[in-house]
Amino acid sequence: MKAQINDTEIFYTESGDPTKTSVVFIHGFPFSHAIWQKQIKALGDDFHCIAYDFRGMGESCVGDGQYSLEGHVDDLVALLDFLQIDQAVIVGLSMGGYIALRALQRNPERFLAVALCDTRSEEDDNAARIKRANAAQSVKKEGAAAFAEGFLPAVFSEASITNNVPGVGMIKQIISKNAPLAIAGNLIAMAARTDTTASLKDIAVPTLILVGEKDKLTTPEDARNLQNQIKGSVLHVVPDAAHLSNLENPEFFNARLLEFLHSTK
Ligand code: MLT
C-alpha cells in the first residue's frame, strides 16, 4: 500500500489485527520492508504490524535523492498520522534504529516501547564520513549490484556467506533493486545524522536491545553502551549472527522480540 505524505509516496505493508498494539518496523540501509517477513509472520494476529520502506528504498519514491535523518523522522510521524496510530512500538534495525532514536528525541509521545536492533547512538566520526562520501560517489558510477557485492561481507558473518543462508541472496536482490541515487542520498543522510547519546538517559519507554554477536558495524560494545544509558533496558546478544541478526538467527531474534512485546502489552 502507498501513503501520500510529506510530498512523497511511502510504501508500507499492514497485517495482523488492527485492534491490537501497533508495531512499526524500520529496516536498515540500504534494504526494504522485506527484511521483516519472518518477524511479521511470528507476530501473527497478536499485533498490528506495519513495515514500510523509508524514503528512496524498496518501493517508496526516490524523488530528488536528497535525504536527511530529520526527514526520515518526519516521514515516520506522518505515516503514523496517516494510519491514525497515536502510539506504537517501534522496531528499528541499524539505520532504522538511528531513525527510531532520533524520533524518540523529537516525538517521544508517539512511542509505547522501542526495540533497537544492531544499532548505535553515536554519530559518524570523520573517517566514516569520508568513507560514506566516497561510497556515495562510487555507487552512482558502478551501480547498486556492485555496491551489494561489496556490502555483504560487512553485514553477514563469514559462515552465513559460506553457507549462503537464504537471507544473503535476499539482501543482494533487495540492494540491487534500489536506485543508486537513493543509496547515495541515504549514505549522506547517515553521515549527517545527529548524535543521540546525550538523550538516552531520557528514554522512558520499555526498551529492548538486540545485537548479533559478530556484528562488526554496530558492535556488541555499542549495544552495551546503549544498555548502560537507557534505564531498565534489556540486552540480548544474538548467537550465530552478525549485523542482520533478524535474518541470520530469526528463531532467537523472534523469541526475544515476542517476549518483549508481550511484556509491554
Ligand atoms: C545499516 O545497516 O543500516 C547501515 O549499514 C548502518 C550504517 O552503515 O551505519
PDB file of all heavy atoms in Angstrom, residues 156-170:
ATOM      1  N   PHE A 156      27.028  -9.629   6.928  1.00  0.00           N
ATOM      2  CA  PHE A 156      26.802 -11.035   7.286  1.00  0.00           C
ATOM      3  C   PHE A 156      28.061 -11.645   7.880  1.00  0.00           C
ATOM      4  O   PHE A 156      29.179 -11.242   7.538  1.00  0.00           O
ATOM      5  CB  PHE A 156      26.407 -11.850   6.049  1.00  0.00           C
ATOM      6  CG  PHE A 156      24.987 -11.615   5.604  1.00  0.00           C
ATOM      7  CD1 PHE A 156      24.716 -10.913   4.442  1.00  0.00           C
ATOM      8  CD2 PHE A 156      23.925 -12.099   6.351  1.00  0.00           C
ATOM      9  CE1 PHE A 156      23.409 -10.698   4.025  1.00  0.00           C
ATOM     10  CE2 PHE A 156      22.613 -11.894   5.947  1.00  0.00           C
ATOM     11  CZ  PHE A 156      22.359 -11.186   4.778  1.00  0.00           C
ATOM     12  N   SER A 157      27.868 -12.669   8.707  1.00  0.00           N
ATOM     13  CA  SER A 157      29.033 -13.402   9.215  1.00  0.00           C
ATOM     14  C   SER A 157      29.600 -14.246   8.069  1.00  0.00           C
ATOM     15  O   SER A 157      28.890 -14.544   7.097  1.00  0.00           O
ATOM     16  CB  SER A 157      28.610 -14.314  10.368  1.00  0.00           C
ATOM     17  OG  SER A 157      27.770 -15.336   9.880  1.00  0.00           O
ATOM     18  N   GLU A 158      30.869 -14.620   8.220  1.00  0.00           N
ATOM     19  CA  GLU A 158      31.511 -15.453   7.195  1.00  0.00           C
ATOM     20  C   GLU A 158      30.724 -16.738   6.976  1.00  0.00           C
ATOM     21  O   GLU A 158      30.506 -17.176   5.839  1.00  0.00           O
ATOM     22  CB  GLU A 158      32.916 -15.822   7.669  1.00  0.00           C
ATOM     23  CG  GLU A 158      33.999 -15.006   6.976  1.00  0.00           C
ATOM     24  CD  GLU A 158      35.339 -15.303   7.591  1.00  0.00           C
ATOM     25  OE1 GLU A 158      35.761 -16.481   7.574  1.00  0.00           O
ATOM     26  OE2 GLU A 158      35.927 -14.345   8.127  1.00  0.00           O
ATOM     27  N   ALA A 159      30.246 -17.314   8.097  1.00  0.00           N
ATOM     28  CA  ALA A 159      29.505 -18.582   8.000  1.00  0.00           C
ATOM     29  C   ALA A 159      28.231 -18.397   7.189  1.00  0.00           C
ATOM     30  O   ALA A 159      27.883 -19.242   6.355  1.00  0.00           O
ATOM     31  CB  ALA A 159      29.177 -19.093   9.402  1.00  0.00           C
ATOM     32  N   SER A 160      27.537 -17.274   7.387  1.00  0.00           N
ATOM     33  CA  SER A 160      26.290 -17.055   6.637  1.00  0.00           C
ATOM     34  C   SER A 160      26.573 -16.946   5.149  1.00  0.00           C
ATOM     35  O   SER A 160      25.812 -17.449   4.321  1.00  0.00           O
ATOM     36  CB  SER A 160      25.590 -15.771   7.109  1.00  0.00           C
ATOM     37  OG  SER A 160      25.192 -15.895   8.443  1.00  0.00           O
ATOM     38  N   ILE A 161      27.701 -16.287   4.802  1.00  0.00           N
ATOM     39  CA  ILE A 161      28.028 -16.136   3.380  1.00  0.00           C
ATOM     40  C   ILE A 161      28.454 -17.486   2.791  1.00  0.00           C
ATOM     41  O   ILE A 161      27.969 -17.902   1.747  1.00  0.00           O
ATOM     42  CB  ILE A 161      29.106 -15.045   3.166  1.00  0.00           C
ATOM     43  CG1 ILE A 161      28.490 -13.689   3.555  1.00  0.00           C
ATOM     44  CG2 ILE A 161      29.596 -15.023   1.716  1.00  0.00           C
ATOM     45  CD1 ILE A 161      29.367 -12.497   3.322  1.00  0.00           C
ATOM     46  N   THR A 162      29.341 -18.204   3.524  1.00  0.00           N
ATOM     47  CA  THR A 162      29.807 -19.507   3.034  1.00  0.00           C
ATOM     48  C   THR A 162      28.637 -20.473   2.850  1.00  0.00           C
ATOM     49  O   THR A 162      28.536 -21.171   1.853  1.00  0.00           O
ATOM     50  CB  THR A 162      30.812 -20.124   4.037  1.00  0.00           C
ATOM     51  OG1 THR A 162      31.778 -19.123   4.335  1.00  0.00           O
ATOM     52  CG2 THR A 162      31.507 -21.354   3.484  1.00  0.00           C
ATOM     53  N   ASN A 163      27.737 -20.499   3.836  1.00  0.00           N
ATOM     54  CA  ASN A 163      26.610 -21.441   3.746  1.00  0.00           C
ATOM     55  C   ASN A 163      25.464 -20.877   2.920  1.00  0.00           C
ATOM     56  O   ASN A 163      24.423 -21.509   2.782  1.00  0.00           O
ATOM     57  CB  ASN A 163      26.082 -21.785   5.149  1.00  0.00           C
ATOM     58  CG  ASN A 163      27.167 -22.399   5.992  1.00  0.00           C
ATOM     59  OD1 ASN A 163      28.052 -23.065   5.460  1.00  0.00           O
ATOM     60  ND2 ASN A 163      27.129 -22.160   7.295  1.00  0.00           N
ATOM     61  N   ASN A 164      25.656 -19.645   2.415  1.00  0.00           N
ATOM     62  CA  ASN A 164      24.656 -18.980   1.590  1.00  0.00           C
ATOM     63  C   ASN A 164      23.259 -19.079   2.208  1.00  0.00           C
ATOM     64  O   ASN A 164      22.307 -19.529   1.562  1.00  0.00           O
ATOM     65  CB  ASN A 164      24.699 -19.593   0.174  1.00  0.00           C
ATOM     66  CG  ASN A 164      24.029 -18.690  -0.831  1.00  0.00           C
ATOM     67  OD1 ASN A 164      23.876 -17.494  -0.582  1.00  0.00           O
ATOM     68  ND2 ASN A 164      23.617 -19.248  -1.955  1.00  0.00           N
ATOM     69  N   VAL A 165      23.148 -18.682   3.480  1.00  0.00           N
ATOM     70  CA  VAL A 165      21.837 -18.737   4.148  1.00  0.00           C
ATOM     71  C   VAL A 165      20.849 -17.901   3.319  1.00  0.00           C
ATOM     72  O   VAL A 165      21.253 -16.942   2.647  1.00  0.00           O
ATOM     73  CB  VAL A 165      21.888 -18.254   5.626  1.00  0.00           C
ATOM     74  CG1 VAL A 165      22.776 -19.147   6.473  1.00  0.00           C
ATOM     75  CG2 VAL A 165      22.328 -16.812   5.747  1.00  0.00           C
ATOM     76  N   PRO A 166      19.550 -18.250   3.364  1.00  0.00           N
ATOM     77  CA  PRO A 166      18.590 -17.616   2.465  1.00  0.00           C
ATOM     78  C   PRO A 166      18.627 -16.083   2.499  1.00  0.00           C
ATOM     79  O   PRO A 166      18.444 -15.422   1.478  1.00  0.00           O
ATOM     80  CB  PRO A 166      17.239 -18.124   2.971  1.00  0.00           C
ATOM     81  CG  PRO A 166      17.545 -19.364   3.734  1.00  0.00           C
ATOM     82  CD  PRO A 166      18.947 -19.266   4.223  1.00  0.00           C
ATOM     83  N   GLY A 167      18.925 -15.511   3.649  1.00  0.00           N
ATOM     84  CA  GLY A 167      18.947 -14.057   3.773  1.00  0.00           C
ATOM     85  C   GLY A 167      19.973 -13.375   2.872  1.00  0.00           C
ATOM     86  O   GLY A 167      19.772 -12.249   2.426  1.00  0.00           O
ATOM     87  N   VAL A 168      21.076 -14.081   2.583  1.00  0.00           N
ATOM     88  CA  VAL A 168      22.154 -13.464   1.795  1.00  0.00           C
ATOM     89  C   VAL A 168      21.665 -13.124   0.386  1.00  0.00           C
ATOM     90  O   VAL A 168      21.821 -11.993  -0.091  1.00  0.00           O
ATOM     91  CB  VAL A 168      23.408 -14.382   1.749  1.00  0.00           C
ATOM     92  CG1 VAL A 168      24.476 -13.810   0.835  1.00  0.00           C
ATOM     93  CG2 VAL A 168      23.975 -14.578   3.157  1.00  0.00           C
ATOM     94  N   GLY A 169      21.038 -14.110  -0.262  1.00  0.00           N
ATOM     95  CA  GLY A 169      20.514 -13.879  -1.610  1.00  0.00           C
ATOM     96  C   GLY A 169      19.448 -12.798  -1.604  1.00  0.00           C
ATOM     97  O   GLY A 169      19.389 -11.953  -2.509  1.00  0.00           O
ATOM     98  N   MET A 170      18.619 -12.829  -0.565  1.00  0.00           N
ATOM     99  CA  MET A 170      17.526 -11.846  -0.484  1.00  0.00           C
ATOM    100  C   MET A 170      18.078 -10.426  -0.371  1.00  0.00           C
ATOM    101  O   MET A 170      17.653  -9.510  -1.074  1.00  0.00           O
ATOM    102  CB  MET A 170      16.648 -12.170   0.719  1.00  0.00           C
ATOM    103  CG  MET A 170      15.464 -11.253   0.849  1.00  0.00           C
ATOM    104  SD  MET A 170      14.413 -11.773   2.206  1.00  0.00           S
ATOM    105  CE  MET A 170      14.987 -10.667   3.441  1.00  0.00           C
TER     106      MET A 170
END
